[in-house]
mmCIF file of all heavy atoms in Angstrom:
data_model
loop_
_atom_site.group_PDB
_atom_site.id
_atom_site.type_symbol
_atom_site.label_atom_id
_atom_site.label_comp_id
_atom_site.label_asym_id
_atom_site.label_seq_id
_atom_site.Cartn_x
_atom_site.Cartn_y
_atom_site.Cartn_z
ATOM 1 N N LEU H 144 22.366 162.583 256.739
ATOM 2 C CA LEU H 144 22.589 162.290 258.153
ATOM 3 C C LEU H 144 23.881 161.508 258.345
ATOM 4 O O LEU H 144 24.668 161.791 259.270
ATOM 5 C CB LEU H 144 21.397 161.509 258.720
ATOM 6 C CG LEU H 144 21.278 161.452 260.246
ATOM 7 C CD1 LEU H 144 21.170 162.847 260.837
ATOM 8 C CD2 LEU H 144 20.086 160.597 260.660
ATOM 9 N N THR H 145 24.126 160.536 257.472
ATOM 10 C CA THR H 145 25.371 159.766 257.544
ATOM 11 C C THR H 145 26.567 160.661 257.260
ATOM 12 O O THR H 145 27.606 160.567 257.927
ATOM 13 C CB THR H 145 25.335 158.607 256.536
ATOM 14 O OG1 THR H 145 24.226 157.748 256.856
ATOM 15 C CG2 THR H 145 26.621 157.799 256.572
ATOM 16 N N TYR H 146 26.435 161.552 256.295
ATOM 17 C CA TYR H 146 27.508 162.497 255.958
ATOM 18 C C TYR H 146 27.891 163.332 257.182
ATOM 19 O O TYR H 146 29.075 163.444 257.532
ATOM 20 C CB TYR H 146 27.057 163.395 254.817
ATOM 21 C CG TYR H 146 28.020 164.511 254.474
ATOM 22 C CD1 TYR H 146 29.023 164.314 253.534
ATOM 23 C CD2 TYR H 146 27.911 165.761 255.082
ATOM 24 C CE1 TYR H 146 29.905 165.337 253.213
ATOM 25 C CE2 TYR H 146 28.785 166.789 254.770
ATOM 26 C CZ TYR H 146 29.783 166.568 253.835
ATOM 27 O OH TYR H 146 30.659 167.589 253.539
ATOM 28 N N LYS H 147 26.890 163.905 257.840
ATOM 29 C CA LYS H 147 27.162 164.749 259.004
ATOM 30 C C LYS H 147 27.802 163.945 260.130
ATOM 31 O O LYS H 147 28.700 164.427 260.825
ATOM 32 C CB LYS H 147 25.868 165.401 259.479
ATOM 33 C CG LYS H 147 25.314 166.451 258.527
ATOM 34 C CD LYS H 147 23.989 167.004 259.031
ATOM 35 C CE LYS H 147 23.411 168.024 258.045
ATOM 36 N NZ LYS H 147 22.099 168.540 258.493
ATOM 37 N N ASP H 148 27.344 162.706 260.306
ATOM 38 C CA ASP H 148 27.881 161.864 261.367
ATOM 39 C C ASP H 148 29.332 161.492 261.087
ATOM 40 O O ASP H 148 30.188 161.583 261.978
ATOM 41 C CB ASP H 148 27.021 160.607 261.506
ATOM 42 C CG ASP H 148 27.460 159.721 262.663
ATOM 43 O OD1 ASP H 148 27.377 160.191 263.815
ATOM 44 O OD2 ASP H 148 27.898 158.579 262.425
ATOM 45 N N LEU H 149 29.629 161.084 259.852
ATOM 46 C CA LEU H 149 31.001 160.715 259.507
ATOM 47 C C LEU H 149 31.936 161.916 259.589
ATOM 48 O O LEU H 149 33.084 161.804 260.041
ATOM 49 C CB LEU H 149 31.039 160.113 258.105
ATOM 50 C CG LEU H 149 30.381 158.739 257.939
ATOM 51 C CD1 LEU H 149 30.331 158.352 256.457
ATOM 52 C CD2 LEU H 149 31.130 157.680 258.737
ATOM 53 N N LEU H 150 31.448 163.075 259.172
ATOM 54 C CA LEU H 150 32.263 164.287 259.231
ATOM 55 C C LEU H 150 32.561 164.661 260.683
ATOM 56 O O LEU H 150 33.701 164.977 261.042
ATOM 57 C CB LEU H 150 31.541 165.433 258.525
ATOM 58 C CG LEU H 150 32.295 166.764 258.434
ATOM 59 C CD1 LEU H 150 33.548 166.619 257.583
ATOM 60 C CD2 LEU H 150 31.391 167.857 257.886
ATOM 61 N N TRP H 151 31.528 164.586 261.529
ATOM 62 C CA TRP H 151 31.698 164.910 262.953
ATOM 63 C C TRP H 151 32.694 163.959 263.607
ATOM 64 O O TRP H 151 33.614 164.383 264.314
ATOM 65 C CB TRP H 151 30.340 164.850 263.642
ATOM 66 C CG TRP H 151 30.413 164.942 265.133
ATOM 67 C CD1 TRP H 151 30.820 166.009 265.878
ATOM 68 C CD2 TRP H 151 30.093 163.908 266.079
ATOM 69 N NE1 TRP H 151 30.759 165.721 267.223
ATOM 70 C CE2 TRP H 151 30.314 164.435 267.365
ATOM 71 C CE3 TRP H 151 29.620 162.611 265.944
ATOM 72 C CZ2 TRP H 151 30.084 163.693 268.517
ATOM 73 C CZ3 TRP H 151 29.395 161.863 267.100
ATOM 74 C CH2 TRP H 151 29.630 162.408 268.362
ATOM 75 N N LYS H 152 32.540 162.666 263.361
ATOM 76 C CA LYS H 152 33.412 161.683 264.006
ATOM 77 C C LYS H 152 34.856 161.805 263.534
ATOM 78 O O LYS H 152 35.781 161.409 264.260
ATOM 79 C CB LYS H 152 32.889 160.275 263.742
ATOM 80 C CG LYS H 152 31.620 159.953 264.529
ATOM 81 C CD LYS H 152 31.096 158.567 264.217
ATOM 82 C CE LYS H 152 29.858 158.264 265.047
ATOM 83 N NZ LYS H 152 29.258 156.938 264.705
ATOM 84 N N SER H 153 35.061 162.333 262.352
ATOM 85 C CA SER H 153 36.425 162.471 261.847
ATOM 86 C C SER H 153 37.179 163.628 262.488
ATOM 87 O O SER H 153 38.385 163.769 262.305
ATOM 88 C CB SER H 153 36.402 162.666 260.329
ATOM 89 O OG SER H 153 35.956 163.968 259.980
ATOM 90 N N ARG H 154 36.477 164.448 263.251
ATOM 91 C CA ARG H 154 37.094 165.640 263.837
ATOM 92 C C ARG H 154 37.793 165.348 265.170
ATOM 93 O O ARG H 154 38.451 166.222 265.733
ATOM 94 C CB ARG H 154 36.048 166.733 264.044
ATOM 95 C CG ARG H 154 35.440 167.244 262.740
ATOM 96 C CD ARG H 154 34.469 168.385 262.981
ATOM 97 N NE ARG H 154 33.822 168.810 261.753
ATOM 98 C CZ ARG H 154 34.349 169.622 260.843
ATOM 99 N NH1 ARG H 154 35.560 170.107 261.045
ATOM 100 N NH2 ARG H 154 33.689 169.947 259.749
ATOM 101 N N PHE H 155 37.633 164.142 265.702
ATOM 102 C CA PHE H 155 38.242 163.827 266.991
ATOM 103 C C PHE H 155 38.617 162.355 267.031
ATOM 104 O O PHE H 155 38.224 161.561 266.172
ATOM 105 C CB PHE H 155 37.297 164.176 268.142
ATOM 106 C CG PHE H 155 35.965 163.469 268.095
ATOM 107 C CD1 PHE H 155 35.777 162.243 268.705
ATOM 108 C CD2 PHE H 155 34.894 164.043 267.429
ATOM 109 C CE1 PHE H 155 34.552 161.594 268.650
ATOM 110 C CE2 PHE H 155 33.662 163.407 267.370
ATOM 111 C CZ PHE H 155 33.499 162.169 267.983
ATOM 112 N N VAL H 156 39.392 161.983 268.039
ATOM 113 C CA VAL H 156 39.793 160.588 268.244
ATOM 114 C C VAL H 156 38.845 159.979 269.271
ATOM 115 O O VAL H 156 38.655 160.530 270.355
ATOM 116 C CB VAL H 156 41.244 160.500 268.749
ATOM 117 C CG1 VAL H 156 41.611 159.057 269.070
ATOM 118 C CG2 VAL H 156 42.201 161.074 267.713
ATOM 119 N N ASN H 157 38.246 158.853 268.924
ATOM 120 C CA ASN H 157 37.359 158.158 269.844
ATOM 121 C C ASN H 157 38.017 156.846 270.275
ATOM 122 O O ASN H 157 38.443 156.048 269.444
ATOM 123 C CB ASN H 157 36.006 157.862 269.191
ATOM 124 C CG ASN H 157 35.079 157.136 270.142
ATOM 125 O OD1 ASN H 157 34.706 157.656 271.178
ATOM 126 N ND2 ASN H 157 34.710 155.910 269.804
ATOM 127 N N ILE H 158 38.126 156.647 271.576
ATOM 128 C CA ILE H 158 38.714 155.425 272.119
ATOM 129 C C ILE H 158 37.622 154.655 272.846
ATOM 130 O O ILE H 158 37.211 155.022 273.949
ATOM 131 C CB ILE H 158 39.877 155.748 273.079
ATOM 132 C CG1 ILE H 158 40.965 156.525 272.332
ATOM 133 C CG2 ILE H 158 40.445 154.463 273.675
ATOM 134 C CD1 ILE H 158 42.087 157.004 273.212
ATOM 135 N N PRO H 159 37.105 153.590 272.225
ATOM 136 C CA PRO H 159 36.085 152.790 272.911
ATOM 137 C C PRO H 159 36.724 151.944 274.003
ATOM 138 O O PRO H 159 37.727 151.262 273.769
ATOM 139 C CB PRO H 159 35.502 151.924 271.786
ATOM 140 C CG PRO H 159 36.570 151.865 270.746
ATOM 141 C CD PRO H 159 37.389 153.114 270.870
ATOM 142 N N VAL H 160 36.170 152.019 275.199
ATOM 143 C CA VAL H 160 36.704 151.260 276.338
ATOM 144 C C VAL H 160 35.777 150.094 276.671
ATOM 145 O O VAL H 160 36.191 148.940 276.698
ATOM 146 C CB VAL H 160 36.904 152.173 277.560
ATOM 147 C CG1 VAL H 160 37.530 151.385 278.715
ATOM 148 C CG2 VAL H 160 37.789 153.364 277.199
ATOM 149 N N PHE H 161 34.502 150.390 276.930
ATOM 150 C CA PHE H 161 33.507 149.355 277.201
ATOM 151 C C PHE H 161 32.293 149.593 276.311
ATOM 152 O O PHE H 161 31.910 150.739 276.071
ATOM 153 C CB PHE H 161 33.069 149.373 278.669
ATOM 154 C CG PHE H 161 34.188 149.210 279.661
ATOM 155 C CD1 PHE H 161 34.479 150.225 280.568
ATOM 156 C CD2 PHE H 161 34.956 148.062 279.677
ATOM 157 C CE1 PHE H 161 35.507 150.089 281.483
ATOM 158 C CE2 PHE H 161 36.001 147.919 280.587
ATOM 159 C CZ PHE H 161 36.273 148.928 281.489
ATOM 160 N N SER H 162 31.674 148.521 275.840
ATOM 161 C CA SER H 162 30.483 148.632 275.005
ATOM 162 C C SER H 162 29.384 147.726 275.558
ATOM 163 O O SER H 162 29.463 146.492 275.455
ATOM 164 C CB SER H 162 30.799 148.244 273.556
ATOM 165 O OG SER H 162 29.632 148.307 272.757
ATOM 166 N N LYS H 163 28.383 148.349 276.182
ATOM 167 C CA LYS H 163 27.218 147.651 276.729
ATOM 168 C C LYS H 163 27.622 146.457 277.589
ATOM 169 O O LYS H 163 27.046 145.378 277.508
ATOM 170 C CB LYS H 163 26.283 147.212 275.604
ATOM 171 C CG LYS H 163 25.682 148.376 274.822
ATOM 172 C CD LYS H 163 24.730 147.913 273.747
ATOM 173 C CE LYS H 163 24.133 149.106 273.006
ATOM 174 N NZ LYS H 163 23.216 148.696 271.914
ATOM 175 N N GLU H 164 28.640 146.683 278.426
ATOM 176 C CA GLU H 164 29.099 145.624 279.322
ATOM 177 C C GLU H 164 28.160 145.502 280.525
ATOM 178 O O GLU H 164 27.710 146.510 281.072
ATOM 179 C CB GLU H 164 30.522 145.902 279.806
ATOM 180 C CG GLU H 164 31.581 145.795 278.733
ATOM 181 C CD GLU H 164 31.749 144.378 278.194
ATOM 182 O OE1 GLU H 164 31.454 143.413 278.947
ATOM 183 O OE2 GLU H 164 32.171 144.241 277.036
ATOM 184 N N GLN H 165 27.887 144.276 280.913
ATOM 185 C CA GLN H 165 27.026 144.041 282.070
ATOM 186 C C GLN H 165 27.848 144.148 283.344
ATOM 187 O O GLN H 165 28.901 143.520 283.482
ATOM 188 C CB GLN H 165 26.368 142.664 281.982
ATOM 189 C CG GLN H 165 25.254 142.453 282.993
ATOM 190 C CD GLN H 165 24.467 141.174 282.731
ATOM 191 O OE1 GLN H 165 24.812 140.396 281.849
ATOM 192 N NE2 GLN H 165 23.411 140.955 283.488
ATOM 193 N N ILE H 166 27.377 144.979 284.258
ATOM 194 C CA ILE H 166 28.015 145.140 285.563
ATOM 195 C C ILE H 166 26.977 144.694 286.582
ATOM 196 O O ILE H 166 25.993 145.393 286.847
ATOM 197 C CB ILE H 166 28.454 146.591 285.799
ATOM 198 C CG1 ILE H 166 29.438 147.028 284.705
ATOM 199 C CG2 ILE H 166 29.088 146.750 287.170
ATOM 200 C CD1 ILE H 166 29.899 148.473 284.811
ATOM 201 N N HIS H 167 27.191 143.507 287.137
ATOM 202 C CA HIS H 167 26.157 142.881 287.967
ATOM 203 C C HIS H 167 26.809 142.058 289.061
ATOM 204 O O HIS H 167 28.036 141.937 289.130
ATOM 205 C CB HIS H 167 25.233 142.026 287.097
ATOM 206 C CG HIS H 167 25.949 140.949 286.316
ATOM 207 N ND1 HIS H 167 25.351 139.772 285.937
ATOM 208 C CD2 HIS H 167 27.228 140.857 285.838
ATOM 209 C CE1 HIS H 167 26.199 139.019 285.264
ATOM 210 N NE2 HIS H 167 27.346 139.664 285.190
ATOM 211 N N PHE H 168 25.980 141.461 289.908
ATOM 212 C CA PHE H 168 26.476 140.698 291.056
ATOM 213 C C PHE H 168 26.175 139.222 290.829
ATOM 214 O O PHE H 168 25.038 138.775 290.953
ATOM 215 C CB PHE H 168 25.817 141.191 292.342
ATOM 216 C CG PHE H 168 26.354 140.528 293.579
ATOM 217 C CD1 PHE H 168 27.590 140.893 294.085
ATOM 218 C CD2 PHE H 168 25.635 139.543 294.229
ATOM 219 C CE1 PHE H 168 28.098 140.288 295.224
ATOM 220 C CE2 PHE H 168 26.130 138.927 295.380
ATOM 221 C CZ PHE H 168 27.373 139.302 295.871
ATOM 222 N N VAL H 169 27.213 138.475 290.451
ATOM 223 C CA VAL H 169 27.089 137.029 290.246
ATOM 224 C C VAL H 169 28.356 136.367 290.780
ATOM 225 O O VAL H 169 29.441 136.953 290.731
ATOM 226 C CB VAL H 169 26.903 136.668 288.755
ATOM 227 C CG1 VAL H 169 25.526 137.073 288.256
ATOM 228 C CG2 VAL H 169 27.976 137.302 287.887
ATOM 229 N N SER H 170 28.222 135.158 291.257
ATOM 230 C CA SER H 170 29.368 134.493 291.882
ATOM 231 C C SER H 170 30.390 134.009 290.866
ATOM 232 O O SER H 170 31.567 133.830 291.196
ATOM 233 C CB SER H 170 28.877 133.304 292.714
ATOM 234 O OG SER H 170 28.173 132.382 291.890
ATOM 235 N N ASP H 171 29.956 133.803 289.625
ATOM 236 C CA ASP H 171 30.850 133.210 288.632
ATOM 237 C C ASP H 171 31.238 134.184 287.519
ATOM 238 O O ASP H 171 31.391 133.786 286.361
ATOM 239 C CB ASP H 171 30.208 131.958 288.027
ATOM 240 C CG ASP H 171 28.877 132.260 287.340
ATOM 241 O OD1 ASP H 171 28.340 133.354 287.582
ATOM 242 O OD2 ASP H 171 28.387 131.408 286.576
ATOM 243 N N ALA H 172 31.377 135.478 287.848
ATOM 244 C CA ALA H 172 31.778 136.458 286.834
ATOM 245 C C ALA H 172 33.146 136.098 286.275
ATOM 246 O O ALA H 172 34.097 135.886 287.026
ATOM 247 C CB ALA H 172 31.811 137.852 287.452
ATOM 248 N N LYS H 173 33.233 136.000 284.953
ATOM 249 C CA LYS H 173 34.464 135.531 284.322
ATOM 250 C C LYS H 173 35.091 136.621 283.455
ATOM 251 O O LYS H 173 34.397 137.337 282.746
ATOM 252 C CB LYS H 173 34.189 134.291 283.474
ATOM 253 C CG LYS H 173 33.817 133.058 284.301
ATOM 254 C CD LYS H 173 33.568 131.855 283.411
ATOM 255 C CE LYS H 173 33.328 130.594 284.238
ATOM 256 N NZ LYS H 173 32.163 130.708 285.116
ATOM 257 N N SER H 174 36.408 136.691 283.499
ATOM 258 C CA SER H 174 37.160 137.599 282.637
ATOM 259 C C SER H 174 37.362 136.949 281.275
ATOM 260 O O SER H 174 37.180 135.741 281.105
ATOM 261 C CB SER H 174 38.517 137.925 283.255
ATOM 262 O OG SER H 174 38.375 138.506 284.534
ATOM 263 N N ASN H 175 37.734 137.775 280.289
ATOM 264 C CA ASN H 175 38.143 137.243 278.989
ATOM 265 C C ASN H 175 39.419 137.949 278.556
ATOM 266 O O ASN H 175 40.067 138.617 279.359
ATOM 267 C CB ASN H 175 37.013 137.370 277.958
ATOM 268 C CG ASN H 175 36.530 138.808 277.796
ATOM 269 O OD1 ASN H 175 37.328 139.749 277.838
ATOM 270 N ND2 ASN H 175 35.236 138.985 277.605
ATOM 271 N N ASP H 176 39.769 137.819 277.285
ATOM 272 C CA ASP H 176 41.047 138.371 276.826
ATOM 273 C C ASP H 176 41.115 139.887 276.898
ATOM 274 O O ASP H 176 42.200 140.466 276.933
ATOM 275 C CB ASP H 176 41.316 137.930 275.381
ATOM 276 C CG ASP H 176 41.618 136.445 275.294
ATOM 277 O OD1 ASP H 176 41.985 135.870 276.323
ATOM 278 O OD2 ASP H 176 41.466 135.870 274.199
ATOM 279 N N SER H 177 39.950 140.562 276.903
ATOM 280 C CA SER H 177 39.975 142.027 276.888
ATOM 281 C C SER H 177 39.376 142.656 278.135
ATOM 282 O O SER H 177 39.829 143.709 278.574
ATOM 283 C CB SER H 177 39.236 142.558 275.652
ATOM 284 O OG SER H 177 37.882 142.180 275.679
ATOM 285 N N ILE H 178 38.355 142.031 278.732
ATOM 286 C CA ILE H 178 37.676 142.602 279.895
ATOM 287 C C ILE H 178 37.961 141.763 281.124
ATOM 288 O O ILE H 178 37.663 140.561 281.158
ATOM 289 C CB ILE H 178 36.143 142.682 279.678
ATOM 290 C CG1 ILE H 178 35.811 143.407 278.372
ATOM 291 C CG2 ILE H 178 35.482 143.374 280.876
ATOM 292 C CD1 ILE H 178 36.173 144.855 278.332
ATOM 293 N N LEU H 179 38.544 142.376 282.146
ATOM 294 C CA LEU H 179 38.769 141.717 283.431
ATOM 295 C C LEU H 179 37.598 142.037 284.349
ATOM 296 O O LEU H 179 37.156 143.182 284.435
ATOM 297 C CB LEU H 179 40.077 142.203 284.055
ATOM 298 C CG LEU H 179 41.346 142.035 283.205
ATOM 299 C CD1 LEU H 179 42.541 142.670 283.906
ATOM 300 C CD2 LEU H 179 41.610 140.569 282.904
#
C-alpha cells in the first residue's frame, strides 16, 4: 500500500496550501508568518 501511494504521488507535483485550517467567526483571529 505504501509502495502504490509513493509511486502515485511521484507522478505529479503537489502544492499544499492549507492543512486543516480553522475557518470560523471570532473577534481575535490572528495571522502568523504563513497564514493571513
Side-chain angles (χ1 to χ4, degrees):
L144 196 59
T145 300
Y146 174 90
K147 291 177 182 178
D148 184 63
L149 291 172
L150 183 64
W151 171 66
K152 287 178 178 176
S153 74
R154 296 183 184 279
F155 59 90
V156 175
N157 180 63
I158 300 174
V160 183
F161 303 117
S162 178
K163 296 182 179 179
E164 291 294 333
Q165 191 170 5
I166 301 178
H167 57 152
F168 185 76
V169 289
S170 59
D171 60 345
K173 292 181 175 61
S174 302
N175 57 37
D176 290 340
S177 62
I178 307 294
L179 304 175

